[in-house]
Amino acid sequence: MLWIFLGILFASIAIGLPIAFGLGIAAVVMAILSDIPLSILIEQSIRGVNNFPLLAIPFFILVGEVMSHGGIARRLMDLAGALVGFMRGGLGQVAITGSMFFGGISGSAVADTAATGSMMIPPMKQQGYSAPHATAINTVSSVIGIIIPPSIPLILFGIVTETSISRLFIAGIVPGLLIGFALMVTTFIMASIEHAGQTRRFELGRLWQAFKAAWLALVLPVIVVGGILGGVFTATEAAVAALLFSLFISLAVYREFHPRELWGMLIRTARLTGMVLLLLAFATVIAWFLTINMVPQTLVRQVQAITQEPFLLLLIVAGLLLLVGFVMDLTPAMVIMAPMLTPIVTSVGVDPVYFGVLMSFILGIGLLTPPVGTCLYVGCGVGRVSMEQLVRAMLPYYAALLVVLLVLIAFPGIVTWLPDMAAVRGN
């Protein structure tokens, strides 16, 4: 069954068929070969999407839309400029810091690439950055948005593996900051080599003015992260609260978009949510087929026969996920691979919360690599550069991300200490 599924999946990718449809075709073929009534497919697909935490996905997507059009993202970028604009690399450092702010609210790497890139790339070119270098910084920093909470991939991982989404969110905070720091160091080095990126003298008055303009926007991550850490909200409730607050400050305080623009935002949100839910529905059917055919259990036994050393196993799994990320987008890769790989790593004592963050990060790197990297295509469009130019400019940043990946594999405590500490305080 596993080989039938993989064969149909990769055939679908090869002919350009949407992966969701490929999963549906695989499910039907597997049902026919197993002599299982097709009505079971309907039952399992409904079970896959009949999940309350899934409501967080459309709400967080819509939050990102409101931020981009309602003046929130721009104010956060202004604050980032006042905060780190004095550092070597100038606006490059601002773009990364702004992505940390923006990603900590929207949860979407693609939204981050489009929103920050459109604001930051033109002025970065004026500061001496080449178009590919400016685009590379804004594109690569988008991976922070799927690690720092809220994170749509972490929500999906929590649902398909029945792992606490709140713990996953908390676990993503420190790794997200570490990724941001690594990218800032790389930008510092590259700006020194290329003599790009003018710096501005740090001015406390300018920082204060930027903070006063953006302080309401900064309440959003406090609502999301603080509410979850404090046990006030579940992840889903935090998404609703963040949406209501972002709508309030965008419409009533900043007044930078008209209520009639909400219709377009809702349409875009519905399209993306529908894609995610269709993938999840069919992936649930596939996971059910593989489970009743003992595929995960067989994989666990075979991998344990190779190694039971967590570090070596995680290196093997990381290599596999990097390869998957080259040919498959993050969302389908997450809903397909997470149910198969999580039992393998947990069988040698790896915390599923840790693995969820690690898997999101690795597949996030896939968003930045050809041939199917979604963020690469968005970056090329926003920065008006070719794919070859952008990939060449991103090589130092790929190296930085791989260094962070090795650090997270070697020291799992970086990921787990904060959720463990929160659990202790909760008890």
Side-chain angles (χ1 to χ4, degrees):
M1 282 297 170
L2 177 61
W3 291 115
I4 291 171
F5 160 62
L6 292 177
I8 296 174
L9 177 64
F10 286 111
S12 301
I13 294 173
I15 65 175
L17 189 70
I19 292 180
F21 296 152
L23 292 178
I25 293 171
V28 172
V29 172
M30 293 164 73
I32 294 173
L33 293 176
S34 303
D35 198 25
I36 292 176
L38 295 181
S39 60
I40 300 294
L41 273 62
I42 305 300
E43 294 177 8
Q44 291 297 321
S45 61
I46 291 174
R47 184 180 66 85
V49 296
N50 185 23
N51 201 318
F52 179 75
L54 277 174
L55 285 173
I57 293 177
F59 284 120
F60 279 129
I61 293 173
L62 189 53
V63 168
E65 289 281 344
V66 173
M67 286 180 60
S68 299
H69 295 83
I72 298 175
R74 179 176 57 78
R75 285 170 171 80
L76 290 175
M77 298 303 292
D78 290 343
L79 177 61
L83 194 62
V84 299
F86 68 94
M87 298 173 61
R88 170 77 71 177
L91 286 179
Q93 307 289 7
V94 174
I96 295 170
T97 307
S99 290
M100 295 170 71
F101 285 144
F102 188 82
I105 302 173
S106 73
S108 170
V110 175
D112 189 358
T113 304
T116 63
S118 59
M119 285 186 288
M120 297 303 301
I121 292 175
M124 287 176 70
K125 292 177 182 178
Q126 296 174 3
Q127 282 200 3
Y129 281 98
S130 65
H133 190 188
T135 307
I137 293 174
N138 284 275
T139 303
V140 75
S141 62
S142 65
V143 75
I144 302 171
I146 58 174
I147 304 298
I148 291 181
S151 164
I152 293 173
L154 289 181
I155 294 172
L156 289 173
F157 181 90
I159 290 170
V160 299
T161 64
E162 298 183 353
T163 303
S164 168
I165 296 175
S166 295
R167 280 180 56 82
L168 286 166
F169 275 13
I170 298 170
I173 296 174
V174 176
L177 295 175
L178 180 62
I179 294 167
F181 175 75
L183 296 180
M184 292 179 76
V185 171
T186 307
T187 298
F188 180 92
I189 296 171
M190 296 304 298
S192 300
I193 294 173
E194 297 186 2
H195 304 289
Q198 301 171 6
T199 59
R200 294 187 60 172
R201 188 178 64 180
F202 179 80
E203 298 177 5
L204 192 59
R206 178 169 173 258
L207 177 60
W208 174 244
Q209 292 298 323
F211 175 78
K212 285 197 300 182
W215 75 269
L216 280 174
L218 291 175
V219 174
L220 276 170
V222 174
I223 290 175
V224 175
V225 179
I228 293 173
L229 277 172
V232 179
F233 299 132
T234 64
T236 307
E237 292 164 347
V240 177
L243 175 60
L244 293 175
F245 186 76
S246 63
L247 284 172
F248 170 74
I249 61 176
S250 296
L251 291 170
V253 181
Y254 297 156
R255 299 181 181 180
E256 293 197 12
F257 79 92
H258 195 276
R260 62 170 166 264
E261 295 181 56
L262 279 173
W263 179 248
M265 298 180 192
L266 291 170
I267 294 296
R268 291 188 291 271
T269 299
R271 286 174 177 167
L272 185 54
T273 303
M275 180 195 72
V276 172
L277 293 183
L278 189 62
L279 277 168
L280 189 57
F282 288 134
T284 302
V285 179
I286 296 295
W288 178 77
F289 270 118
L290 297 179
T291 300
I292 64 174
N293 284 277
M294 305 294 289
V295 171
Q297 296 87 335
T298 303
L299 288 175
V300 168
R301 288 196 299 269
Q302 292 178 346
V303 171
Q304 285 181 334
I306 299 173
T307 180
Q308 295 192 41
E309 170 60 37
F311 178 76
L312 182 58
L313 178 60
L314 286 171
L315 284 179
I316 294 172
V317 170
L320 172 64
L321 289 174
L322 284 173
L323 291 175
V324 170
F326 288 147
V327 298
M328 193 180 300
D329 204 8
L330 187 152
T331 301
M334 178 66 77
V335 298
I336 294 169
M337 302 297 294
M340 288 194 289
L341 294 178
T342 302
I344 295 175
V345 297
T346 55
S347 69
V348 297
V350 174
D351 189 330
V353 171
Y354 162 76
F355 182 63
V357 174
L358 191 70
M359 186 174 183
S360 294
F361 177 38
I362 298 171
L363 294 178
I365 295 175
L367 293 173
L368 308 171
T369 55
V372 297
T374 309
C375 289
L376 273 186
Y377 290 104
V378 174
C380 288
V382 174
R384 298 181 181 179
V385 296
S386 69
M387 179 69 71
E388 293 79 11
Q389 290 175 316
L390 180 54
V391 170
R392 195 178 302 115
M394 288 183 65
L395 290 177
Y397 295 96
Y398 289 144
L401 293 177
L402 291 177
V403 169
V404 174
L405 175 59
L406 290 175
V407 170
L408 294 180
I409 293 176
F411 303 101
I414 294 174
V415 179
T416 57
W417 76 271
L418 189 57
D420 289 344
M421 185 174 65
V424 170
R425 288 185 175 181
N427 292 332

